[in-house]
Amino acid sequence: MAPYKNLEEYNIEVTNEVKDRFSRIIDEIGEDVNRDGLLKTPERAAKAMLFLTQGYKQNAEEILKGAMFKEDYDDMVIIKDIEVYSLCEHHMLPFFGKAHIAYIPNGYIVGLSKIPRIVDVFARRLQVQERLTHDILECINDTLKPQGVAVVIEASHMCMMMRGVQKQNSVTTTSGFRGQFEKIETRNEFLKLISSDLS
Ligand SMILES: [Zn+2]
């Protein structure tokens, strides 16, 4: 099985189980599951949920290992503004925003498209932003064994915006640093670069 693919084929048994439960939820909230507009909703919702949680079936380390190249480059590599869409594990509502990731190679670089891919692998699970940040950081650190790695995620949480405290404009920032990025100068250079429009 390919380590990364869009979930186009759904396991029929699982999809049907999830579909039946969505049907039950729609009924419990007082709607009519047999109403025209809702007829296919349980199935659509089931497929959407399975798509948004397909990361459980994917292996981020394999994705990185499949695209590592020996290279003597040892300056900072930054991939910024990576779109992040995840589901908070407390309410199963979306949180979304941007990830900025940097590493300093130690003999190996990785195909640039693989970094956003592993963000998706970890984001397409039930998450908290803190653990998502940590999962990405540790995966890059363990696999590439770089001189340093940094991950910053800025995200808005629908569970805060639509319910609860209803803080519409609050953004949560999480960050993690390993190796060279634990040094203040390197970390500051990274933070400066991700906040500039020119990098
Ligand atoms: Zn939440």
Side-chain angles (χ1 to χ4, degrees):
M1 193 185 86
Y4 179 88
K5 61 173 183 172
N6 283 339
L7 202 87
E8 296 298 346
E9 321 100 53
Y10 293 87
N11 178 311
I12 293 172
E13 265 173 51
V14 177
T15 309
N16 282 337
E17 285 288 331
V18 179
K19 178 181 131 185
D20 287 348
R21 283 159 171 79
F22 270 118
S23 187
R24 177 88 190 275
I25 291 170
I26 292 169
D27 183 54
E28 290 291 344
I29 61 176
E31 258 289 3
D32 173 9
V33 280
N34 295 312
R35 180 160 75 72
D36 245 18
L38 293 179
L39 274 180
K40 294 206 76 183
T41 299
E43 184 182 340
R44 286 193 207 96
K47 287 183 172 172
M49 182 53 69
L50 294 172
F51 180 87
L52 296 175
T53 55
Q54 65 181 295
Y56 292 113
K57 294 194 168 70
Q58 297 165 342
N59 185 321
E61 292 206 355
E62 270 179 34
I63 291 170
L64 288 188
K65 279 181 187 156
M68 280 170 57
F69 308 101
K70 225 176 171 357
E71 189 62 59
D72 283 337
Y73 185 86
D74 61 1
D75 285 316
M76 201 181 293
V77 178
I78 302 180
I79 305 104
K80 66 178 214 173
D81 295 331
I82 302 167
E83 285 177 57
V84 175
Y85 296 96
S86 190
L87 290 175
C88 89
E89 69 182 16
H90 301 130
H91 306 92
M92 295 176 70
L93 288 171
F95 67 93
F96 58 95
K98 296 209 160 141
H100 314 290
I101 297 173
Y103 72 98
I104 301 171
N106 190 14
Y108 286 92
I109 56 166
V110 68
L112 288 179
S113 67
K114 298 301 183 279
I115 300 284
R117 273 195 179 188
I118 68 155
V119 170
D120 277 347
V121 169
F122 291 116
R124 287 176 177 159
R125 299 176 185 194
L126 302 185
Q127 276 288 9
V128 294
Q129 190 179 327
E130 294 86 342
R131 192 174 64 240
L132 176 60
T133 307
H134 194 254
D135 283 348
I136 297 165
L137 186 79
E138 294 304 333
C139 177
I140 296 172
N141 202 41
D142 293 347
T143 309
L144 269 184
K145 304 197 188 324
Q147 296 180 54
V149 55
V151 177
V152 170
I153 299 180
E154 305 167 292
S156 302
H157 292 247
M158 295 308 278
C159 61
M160 282 176 74
M161 296 163 79
M162 293 179 70
R163 53 167 293 289
V165 289
Q166 297 187 2
K167 291 285 181 231
Q168 311 278 333
N169 298 311
S170 72
V171 172
T172 305
T173 304
T174 47
S175 60
F177 304 97
R178 289 284 181 277
Q180 297 279 327
F181 288 95
E182 288 169 59
K183 287 196 298 198
I184 198 83
E185 318 85 75
T186 316
R187 185 186 304 202
N188 282 346
E189 187 189 344
F190 164 68
L191 294 173
K192 203 173 107 196
L193 287 167
I194 63 170
S195 53
S196 107
D197 288 334
L198 289 170
S199 67

